[in-house]
């Protein structure tokens, strides 16, 4: 596999472009960027549109918003912090959080990451540059660090009685900056970029961000999943592995047939970005639905030692 | 197996430690960011600062619904907790909308939804903070703050003081009353002085003192008690005057009850020896009747 990489000079997706054409080889990426930018644009231009037409498409920001003056949406993570800090939201706040929670519960929690979050664009660019410039190595930050961070942000809200995390949360800072005035939030974008570019690959979204961690928990039973349904066609080009923001989750569903792993990527860390579908020349992957809480059967029982190395939560 | 487990526990502890230290720093920083700069005023109905920082999710819905573009969300390095709404009265005060759209929009309890009458809001308290700068204190007529105040005649009143410079004019001094001032900041915006305003809305915590409940105001107590003093009335001052003559200080002056006796006839032996070039009248009663001293 390493040989294949070396030959291609770290340009994942080249073969896919050659075989499927540029557009198809970027289908999901384009759709994702469209989604991210139109959500941003909607928030940015709504005040302006409202000035001309008196119709508010959407107001607020990702923390809490109101669509068409009717539908409330609230980020459940920030609302939970607020409740832990000792304050009870009004009805619209709770309703908004419920709507958001149900949505991500169904489509996949980290859909927030790859289809909504503005920071994702920054960290994607950093990862792309790293691959292009063949930068390897860097600090080792455990993938589970984000859950510690998540826990501590909740604890801080409880102890300090204020939403302390929001003082430094780059996700909301950047989105709020773009919609309400940037100020020095550019510096935060730069900091996240440098972290991912210099310190370690996918350091922020892959190891540290508690927002992503929260949404991954929320969507751990989601209906929408990537399935490596044609994994027997895989030619081990490793392109999917190179573009995936959570590399560790692909291995077992793709190559674990012999060990009994199901081909569906059930890890809650999958962001449903669909980039693996884009770059695969052999059409191994596709989006599929599953029934929440229904256990995905193993093909056969993995041995104890294999269980320990599993990074996903497939239960036999 | 055992090694793996040991490594796992070790790694977890390291991570927990690192994240814990980070959280500690953030916790301390959040404590510091509680101090709200005094020029930043929260929207109407905002909870006390500590509670507000726990409730507000920094969504900006209040900002969007403010028809006067009064509210702003704090940006990085503003002297206000990041992302929370505030306004700067000197630039754009709160217009005290009757329907209080900012409060209605808030999806959390950060802006208290039980506030339905904008006159009950207490965003801060106006203080004539620079009495040297306020032209009313210099004896000029201004009263601009008084005139723009939406709670006119109640939140600010004009009190007169003697202008000691001219000795014959009054100064028309603006006085703010915490019983009615909402802290909207209209006065601060309108104040005619250059640069910083002479009257400023300050956070209530800063502007309102604890009062002086241990002092009792005799005149008020008297009023409450239906005109009866709580203390024994002062003993009346006795002037050492001849019989049939009384002296009413700050009143009629000398009262001679027995008209047959001439006041001139009163002899004051010590003064009779005074020479003519003394600045004082020879008659001590002249001095006494000259109210207000020599
Ligand atoms: S992990 Fe955090 S920063 Fe990264 S895309 Fe998800 S929410 Fe955004
Ligand atoms: S009362 Fe009106 S002017 Fe004042 S902050 Fe609220 S919406 Fe803005
Ligand atoms: S609407 Fe409420 S929660 Fe949102 S920014 Fe304003 S005060 Fe905070
Ligand atoms: S802040 Fe000024 S204008 Fe507003 S109510 Fe108080 S005294 Fe009146
Ligand atoms: S507007 Fe300013 S200068 Fe004029 S009376 Fe009020 S505080 Fe004084």
């Amino acid at each position: 596999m390493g040989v294949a990489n070396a030959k291609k000079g770290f340009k994942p997706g080249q073969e896919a472009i050659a075989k499927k054409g540029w557009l198809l080889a970027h289908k999901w990426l384009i759709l994702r960027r469209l989604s991210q930018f139109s959500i941003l644009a909607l928030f940015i231009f709504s005040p302006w549109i409202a000035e001309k037409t008196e119709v508010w498409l959407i107001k607020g920001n990702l923390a809490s918003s109101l669509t068409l003056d009717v539908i409330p949406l609230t980020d459940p993570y920030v609302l939970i912090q607020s409740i832990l800090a000792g304050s009870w939201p009004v009805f619209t706040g709770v309703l908004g959080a419920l709507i958001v929670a149900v949505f991500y519960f169904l489509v996949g929690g980290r859909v927030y990451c790859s289809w909504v979050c503005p920071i994702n664009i920054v960290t994607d660019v950093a990862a792309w540059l790293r691959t292009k410039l063949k930068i390897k190595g860097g600090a080792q930050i455990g993938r589970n660090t984000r859950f510690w961070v998540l826990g501590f942000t909740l604890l801080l809200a409880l102890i300090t009685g204020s939403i302390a995390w929001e003082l430094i949360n780059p996700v909301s800072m950047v989105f709020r900056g773009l919609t309400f005035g940037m100020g020095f939030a550019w510096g935060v974008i730069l900091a996240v970029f440098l972290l991912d570019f210099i310190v370690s690959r996918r350091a922020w979204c892959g190891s540290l961000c508690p927002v992503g961690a929260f949404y991954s928990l929320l969507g751990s039973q989601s209906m929408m999943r990537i399935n490596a349904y044609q994994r027997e066609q895989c030619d081990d080009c490793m392109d999917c592995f190179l573009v995936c923001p959570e590399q560790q989750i692909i291995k077992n569903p793709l190559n674990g047939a012999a060990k009994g792993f199901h081909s569906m990527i059930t890890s809650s860390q999958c962001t449903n970005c669909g980039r693996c579908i884009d770059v695969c020349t052999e059409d191994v992957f596709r989006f599929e639905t599953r029934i929440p809480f229904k256990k995905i059967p193993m093909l056969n029982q993995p041995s104890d030692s294999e269980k320990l190395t599993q990074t996903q939560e497939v239960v036999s | 197996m055992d090694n793996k487990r040991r490594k796992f526990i070790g790694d977890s502890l390291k991570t927990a430690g690192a994240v814990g230290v980070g959280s500690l720093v953030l916790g301390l920083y959040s404590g510091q960011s509680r101090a709200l700069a005094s020029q930043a005023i929260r929207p109407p109905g905002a909870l006390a600062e500590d509670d507000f920082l726990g409730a507000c999710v920094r969504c900006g819905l209040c900002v969007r619904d403010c028809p006067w573009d009064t509210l702003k969300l704090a940006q990085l390095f503003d002297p206000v907790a990041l992302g929370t709404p505030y306004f700067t009265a000197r630039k754009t005060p709160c217009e005290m909308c009757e329907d209080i759209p900012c409060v209605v929009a808030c999806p959390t309890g950060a802006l208290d939804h039980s506030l339905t009458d904008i006159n009950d809001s207490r965003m801060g308290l106006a203080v004539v903070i620079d009495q040297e700068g306020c032209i009313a204190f210099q004896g000029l007529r201004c009263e601009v703050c008084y005139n723009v105040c939406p709670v006119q005649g109640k939140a600010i009143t004009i009190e007169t003081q003697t202008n000691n410079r001219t000795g014959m004019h009054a100064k028309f001094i603006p006085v703010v009353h915490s019983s009615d001032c909402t802290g909207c900041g209209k006065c601060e915006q309108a104040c005619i002085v250059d640069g910083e305003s002479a009257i400023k809305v300050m956070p209530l915590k800063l502007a309102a003192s604890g009062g002086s409940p241990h002092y009792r105001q005799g005149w008020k107590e008297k009023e409450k008690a239906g005109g009866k003093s709580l203390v024994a009335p002062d003993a009346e001052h006795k002037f050492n005057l001849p019989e049939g003559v009384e002296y009413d200080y700050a009143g009629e002056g000398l009262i001679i009850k027995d008209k047959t006796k001439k006041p001139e006839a009163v002899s004051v032996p010590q003064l009779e020896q005074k020479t003519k070039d003394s600045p004082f009248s020879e008659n001590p009663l002249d001095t006494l009747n000259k109210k207000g001293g020599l």
Side-chain angles (χ1 to χ4, degrees):
Chain A
M1 291 193 285
V3 185
N5 264 331
K7 253 196 290 184
K8 286 191 302 166
F10 273 89
K11 275 189 189 152
Q14 287 301 104
E15 282 168 27
I17 294 172
K19 189 170 172 190
K20 304 197 273 191
W22 192 89
L23 214 59
L24 263 186
H26 291 89
K27 180 177 147 197
W28 291 104
L29 183 64
I30 293 169
L31 287 176
R32 250 166 17 85
R33 292 289 180 257
L34 260 178
S35 155
Q36 286 165 325
F37 281 114
S38 36
I39 290 172
L40 251 180
L42 214 58
F43 276 103
I44 292 174
F45 292 112
S46 273
W48 182 76
I49 294 170
E51 225 168 76
K52 306 265 178 255
T53 62
E54 308 246 307
V55 177
W56 271 101
L57 295 178
I58 192 160
K59 49 185 154 192
N61 59 36
L62 289 185
S64 192
S65 63
L66 194 61
T67 305
L68 294 170
D69 275 321
V70 197
I71 311 160
L73 297 174
T74 305
D75 179 5
Y77 174 44
V78 73
L79 203 71
I80 287 176
Q81 291 175 70
S82 165
I83 292 170
L84 285 176
S87 128
W88 191 248
V90 297
F91 175 71
T92 50
V94 181
L95 181 67
L98 276 179
I99 296 175
V100 171
V102 168
F103 175 77
Y104 286 110
F105 176 84
L106 293 178
V107 301
R110 293 203 66 195
V111 160
Y112 177 87
C113 292
S114 55
W115 293 79
V116 178
C117 179
I119 291 284
N120 169 268
I121 302 167
V122 179
T123 56
D124 271 0
V125 169
W128 176 78
L129 260 183
R130 262 181 96 95
T131 311
K132 202 172 167 73
L133 301 176
K134 298 179 196 170
I135 301 172
K136 276 187 274 180
Q140 289 283 321
I141 311 174
R143 292 248 174 205
N144 282 333
T145 312
R146 49 188 149 194
F147 292 109
W148 286 102
V149 179
L150 173 63
F152 272 102
T153 58
L154 298 180
L155 198 65
L156 263 185
L158 192 68
I159 294 172
T160 64
S162 76
I163 310 179
W165 167 243
E166 281 305 311
L167 291 173
I168 56 164
N169 181 1
V171 182
S172 56
M173 217 187 286
V174 167
F175 202 91
R176 199 186 318 111
L178 288 165
T179 43
F180 285 89
M182 203 58 178
F184 289 92
W186 289 112
V188 176
I189 299 185
L190 192 68
V192 172
F193 176 82
L194 291 178
L195 175 75
D196 269 31
F197 185 60
I198 293 170
V199 179
S200 161
R201 183 178 196 273
R202 298 275 180 192
W204 179 253
C205 298
S207 303
L208 296 173
C209 178
V211 184
F214 174 85
Y215 278 94
S216 77
L217 292 179
L218 185 60
S220 60
Q221 296 300 325
S222 79
M223 286 173 65
M224 215 162 56
R225 288 290 163 182
I226 300 271
N227 192 354
Y229 75 118
Q230 303 203 78
R231 57 180 165 183
E232 59 286 350
Q233 293 187 22
C234 172
D235 63 359
D236 284 339
C237 75
M238 290 283 280
D239 276 6
C240 56
F241 190 75
L242 277 174
V243 294
C244 180
E246 297 284 341
Q247 296 169 326
Q248 77 283 6
I249 64 176
I250 290 193
K251 195 177 140 215
N252 285 337
L254 185 62
N255 299 325
K259 292 179 194 162
F261 287 102
H262 193 279
S263 61
M264 186 170 275
I265 299 178
T266 49
S267 164
S268 56
Q269 295 308 346
C270 175
T271 68
N272 277 0
C273 69
R275 195 74 186 112
C276 49
I277 307 178
D278 278 350
V279 298
C280 183
T281 48
E282 309 304 318
D283 292 330
V284 167
F285 303 95
R286 72 172 178 202
F287 275 113
E288 277 183 18
T289 52
R290 66 156 180 181
I291 300 161
F293 296 112
K294 193 167 170 218
K295 284 171 185 163
I296 305 240
M298 295 291 289
L299 301 179
N300 54 37
Q301 293 283 333
S303 70
D304 258 354
S305 62
E306 274 159 3
K307 259 188 192 160
L308 251 179
T309 56
Q310 279 173 37
T311 42
Q312 18 154 194
E313 306 145 11
V314 177
V315 189
S316 58
Chain B
M1 242 332 262
D2 235 28
N3 262 343
K4 259 183 188 163
R5 183 161 298 154
R6 205 169 297 140
K7 184 174 176 331
F8 174 76
I9 294 174
D11 282 353
S12 299
L13 280 180
K14 261 189 237 160
T15 311
V19 178
V21 169
S23 308
L24 192 67
V25 174
L26 177 57
L28 294 174
Y29 172 57
S30 85
Q32 193 211 21
S33 74
R34 244 158 240 256
L36 181 67
S38 54
Q39 71 272 28
I41 307 164
R42 293 293 187 200
L47 303 178
E49 190 59 13
D50 273 3
D51 299 330
F52 184 80
L53 290 180
C56 172
V57 295
R58 299 122 210 255
C59 64
L61 281 170
C62 52
V63 175
R64 285 286 184 253
D65 274 359
C66 173
W68 302 94
D69 279 342
T70 298
L71 302 174
K72 297 271 167 292
L73 289 188
Q75 296 178 354
L76 220 54
F77 304 132
D78 280 351
V80 183
L82 183 70
T84 54
Y86 73 100
F87 66 93
T88 312
R90 186 66 162 157
K91 273 196 228 140
T92 346
C94 165
E95 298 289 339
M96 288 177 59
C97 315
E98 230 165 83
D99 47 348
I100 333 182
C102 48
V103 172
V104 177
C106 181
T108 68
L111 304 185
D112 188 350
H113 285 247
S114 64
L115 177 76
T116 45
D117 180 357
I118 188 69
N119 287 311
D120 291 340
S121 65
R122 291 291 178 268
M123 297 169 258
L125 178 60
V127 182
V128 184
I129 199 162
D130 182 12
Q131 302 199 347
E132 258 184 323
C134 169
I135 61 169
F137 280 83
Q138 296 160 17
L140 306 175
R141 291 296 297 268
C142 176
E143 293 132 59
V144 166
C145 51
Y146 166 80
N147 283 313
V148 297
C149 177
V151 201
Q152 214 196 8
K154 284 192 195 153
I156 303 186
T157 54
I158 296 293
E159 318 269 305
T160 51
Q161 274 179 17
T162 318
N163 186 338
N164 284 332
R165 185 177 55 80
T166 64
M168 49 160 74
H169 297 94
K171 292 176 175 176
F172 293 79
I173 305 291
V175 178
V176 182
H177 303 278
S178 61
S179 56
D180 290 278
C181 172
T182 64
C184 70
K186 290 286 284 179
C187 53
E188 178 172 341
Q189 184 207 27
C191 176
I192 55 92
V193 301
D194 292 346
E196 288 288 337
S197 175
I199 185 168
K200 283 199 182 99
V201 176
M202 310 285 286
L204 269 176
K205 209 167 68 181
L206 269 183
S209 74
S212 51
H214 48 292
Y215 281 94
R216 297 231 250 161
Q217 294 158 326
W219 61 98
K220 283 194 182 158
E221 299 295 338
K222 194 169 169 184
E223 217 171 78
K224 262 194 259 165
K228 232 180 76 199
S229 250
L230 292 189
V231 287
D234 285 341
E236 229 174 86
H237 185 78
K238 291 255 172 8
F239 292 95
N240 196 7
L241 293 168
E243 238 177 88
V245 180
E246 268 173 22
Y247 187 73
D248 183 10
Y249 183 74
E252 278 176 59
L254 193 68
I255 304 160
I256 300 161
K257 287 200 167 155
D258 188 350
K259 295 279 180 200
T260 56
K261 275 197 179 164
K262 289 243 162 98
E264 283 84 2
V266 178
S267 85
V268 183
Q270 303 99 306
L271 279 170
E272 265 172 2
Q273 283 145 27
K274 283 223 162 200
T275 51
K276 272 281 172 217
D277 42 21
S278 154
F280 300 104
S281 158
E282 288 199 19
N283 185 353
L285 292 175
D286 283 349
T287 315
L288 264 179
N289 275 334
K290 227 175 129 188
K291 276 184 228 167
L294 302 167

